[in-house]
């Protein structure tokens, strides 16, 4: 399975939206070592995604919530 980045994507957001949990960051980064220097992605990079067991996620990770 692959994912094509959009401008502004970050590792944690990709893990959360595509795999259901930001905790999968390390798995994505290990499959895509050539892009580990990116913090914020440009559009159009094809990333390999690991196969993970589906989980139920009903909220964003705490660090992605906007205070206020």
């Amino acid at each position: 399975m692959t994912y094509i980045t959009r401008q502004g994507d970050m590792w944690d957001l990709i893990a959360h939206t595509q795999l259901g949990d930001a905790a999968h960051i390390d798995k994505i980064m290990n499959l895509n070592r050539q892009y580990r220097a990116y913090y914020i992605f440009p559009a159009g990079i094809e990333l390999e995604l690991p196969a993970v067991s589906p989980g139920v996620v009903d909220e964003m990770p705490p660090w992605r919530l906007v205070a206020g």
Side-chain angles (χ1 to χ4, degrees):
M1 187 160 100
T2 61
Y3 173 74
I4 306 295
T5 62
R6 293 186 233 174
Q7 179 68 38
D9 276 345
M10 294 185 289
W11 293 105
D12 63 335
L13 184 61
I14 294 167
H16 178 73
T17 60
Q18 299 302 306
L19 302 177
D21 192 337
H24 296 299
I25 292 171
D26 60 333
K27 294 174 186 162
I28 298 173
M29 291 179 86
N30 285 333
L31 285 175
N32 299 280
R33 291 181 183 270
Q34 67 273 33
Y35 302 116
R36 288 178 73 167
Y38 284 103
Y39 177 71
I40 299 174
F41 284 95
I45 293 178
E46 184 174 0
L47 300 176
E48 287 187 56
L49 297 179
V52 296
S53 299
V56 176
V57 177
D58 57 359
E59 62 184 60
M60 291 292 287
W63 62 88
R64 300 293 280 164
L65 298 174
V66 177

